[in-house]
């Protein structure tokens, strides 16, 4: 998810204060952070350039190649994607739990700019329905990345017994709009919702970050009941993402914690169930792009996010 374009405001330049979630993350994943340090020292994926502010970047061109570097796993039988009535696996620790995965953007958004520019109510104000997302410099689109990771997560979580629904599965011409994405999770009475993204910041800005909902009570939005559980969900995902992928928390937002709180995203503002976004890396940085275009790394990303969800749901 690029911070440029409709519907996404850049983070403020001030460094966020370390609050309870920072402390919680530090307490939850000391081993994971140590593991990342060792991984980086021997030449892993967690190299860290100097900090910088999030920069705007152009969206991907629709004419650019959008195919993943490796094909995603085939959807598992009975998963149902985003359709109601998706069946859960017969057994496992997450039987009875509902997880909604929200693959950010849509490959068809490029061809439906009028539709995705339509204003929708996000509680605090009105914003565009959706954006096109970003891409790597050689044309691997964020919308393709998010679907691939979502499919991998669905397979992993269904093996744990969860009922998994997708907000979109490449089965619609554009969108859904951000308000509908939130409504899908709400109507499913999801136990956890995770929106998958990749960032479009400036070169040299590296690493992942998890976006948490801030306390909002305005218009149709009231996040106060889900701020706490969403913070727990996001903290667990951040910890497991570090541990499994070896990637470092963002060096340009989040003050090194991998956690950012925002009040301007409709998908969070309108959610009545625990929900977070994860920016898995920066598509406009060549080192992060090498990871994001690797099928093996995307499998690790899916595993790290999924294990954070499992940890949250099992308490």
């Amino acid at each position: 998810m690029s911070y440029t374009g409709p519907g996404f405001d850049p983070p403020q330049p001030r460094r966020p204060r370390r609050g309870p979630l920072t402390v919680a993350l530090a307490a939850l994943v000391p081993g994971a952070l140590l593991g990342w340090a060792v991984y980086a020292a021997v030449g892993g994926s967690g190299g860290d350039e100097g900090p910088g502010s999030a920069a705007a970047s152009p969206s991907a061109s629709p004419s650019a190649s959008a195919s993943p570097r490796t094909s995603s796993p085939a959807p598992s039988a009975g998963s149902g994607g985003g359709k109601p009535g998706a069946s859960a696996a017969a057994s496992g620790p997450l039987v009875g739990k509902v997880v909604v995965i929200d693959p950010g953007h849509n490959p068809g958004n490029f061809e439906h700019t009028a539709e995705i520019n339509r204003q929708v109510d996000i509680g605090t104000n009105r914003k565009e329905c959706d954006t096109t997302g970003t891409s790597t410099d050689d044309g691997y689109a964020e919308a393709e990345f998010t679907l691939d990771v979502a499919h991998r997560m669905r397979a992993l979580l269904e093996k744990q017994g969860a009922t998994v629904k997708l907000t979109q599965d490449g089965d619609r011409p554009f969108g859904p709009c951000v308000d509908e994405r939130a409504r899908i999770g709400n109507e499913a009475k999801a136990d956890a919702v995770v929106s998958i993204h990749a960032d479009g910041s400036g070169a040299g800005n590296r690493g992942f970050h998890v976006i948490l909902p801030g306390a909002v009570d305005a218009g149709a939005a009231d996040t106060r009941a889900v701020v706490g559980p969403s913070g727990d969900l996001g903290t667990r995902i951040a910890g497991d993402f570090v541990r499994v992928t070896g990637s470092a928390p963002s060096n340009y937002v989040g003050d090194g914690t991998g956690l950012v709180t925002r009040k301007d995203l409709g998908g969070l503002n309108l959610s009545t169930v625990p929900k977070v976004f994860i920016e898995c890396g920066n598509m406009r940085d060549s080192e992060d792009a090498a990871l994001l275009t690797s099928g093996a790394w995307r499998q690790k990303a899916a595993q790290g996010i999924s294990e954070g969800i499992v940890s949250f749901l099992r308490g």
Side-chain angles (χ1 to χ4, degrees):
M1 177 176 73
S2 174
Y3 285 119
T4 190
F8 300 98
D9 292 339
Q12 297 301 311
R14 63 180 180 84
R15 292 172 65 85
R17 294 181 297 174
R18 295 181 182 269
L21 285 172
T22 304
V23 175
L25 179 60
L28 185 65
V29 293
L33 292 174
L34 177 60
W36 169 79
V38 173
Y39 187 88
V42 297
S45 62
D48 189 19
E49 282 77 34
S53 59
S57 64
S59 294
S61 166
S63 63
S65 170
S67 59
R69 299 305 180 262
T70 62
S71 60
S72 61
S76 52
S79 64
K83 300 177 182 178
S87 60
S91 63
L94 298 187
V95 166
K97 300 294 186 181
V98 177
V99 177
V100 171
I101 304 172
D102 178 29
H105 312 291
N106 183 315
N109 280 359
F110 289 110
E111 299 175 354
H112 295 273
T113 54
E115 292 90 341
I116 67 170
N117 284 333
R118 178 174 62 85
Q119 298 276 311
V120 298
D121 183 7
I122 67 166
T124 54
N125 59 301
R126 297 182 67 83
K127 284 196 171 181
E128 284 76 6
C129 158
D130 201 2
T131 67
T132 57
T134 188
S135 75
T136 63
D137 288 342
D138 65 355
Y140 180 42
E142 180 185 2
E144 297 293 336
F145 169 83
T146 64
L147 272 175
D148 182 83
V149 173
H151 290 162
R152 295 169 188 270
M153 288 176 59
R154 178 169 62 189
L156 291 167
L157 290 165
E158 286 185 339
K159 286 181 181 178
Q160 297 287 318
T163 297
V164 181
K165 302 183 179 184
L166 271 60
T167 59
Q168 59 94 9
D169 197 5
D171 52 355
R172 52 188 296 161
F174 64 91
C177 296
V178 294
D179 56 338
E180 184 182 352
R181 289 175 187 267
R183 188 162 58 249
I184 290 168
N186 297 343
E187 292 179 351
K189 295 180 170 57
D191 296 286
V193 184
V194 178
S195 189
I196 310 300
H197 288 271
D199 208 359
S201 186
N205 292 340
R206 294 202 60 199
F208 77 93
H209 61 280
V210 179
I211 304 176
L212 314 175
V216 172
D217 180 18
D222 187 354
T223 63
R224 292 173 295 177
V226 298
V227 165
S230 296
D232 185 22
L233 171 64
T235 298
R236 291 173 186 266
I237 288 174
D240 281 311
F241 198 83
V242 168
R243 179 178 57 81
V244 176
T245 67
S247 292
S250 170
N251 65 7
Y252 59 101
V253 291
D255 200 24
T257 67
L259 299 173
V260 176
T261 299
R262 292 178 65 176
K263 299 181 180 181
D264 64 313
L265 300 178
L268 294 180
N269 287 359
L270 299 175
S271 182
T272 59
V273 295
K275 182 175 181 178
V276 299
F277 283 42
I278 181 167
E279 300 278 3
C280 295
N282 177 21
M283 288 193 138
R284 292 295 180 170
D285 176 83
S286 60
E287 293 183 76
D288 270 10
L291 302 177
L292 297 164
T293 55
S294 162
W297 188 88
R298 292 197 299 272
Q299 185 65 28
K300 290 181 180 180
Q303 181 182 342
I305 299 167
S306 298
E307 290 188 9
I309 294 171
V310 172
S311 173
F312 170 73
L313 294 179
R314 299 189 71 181

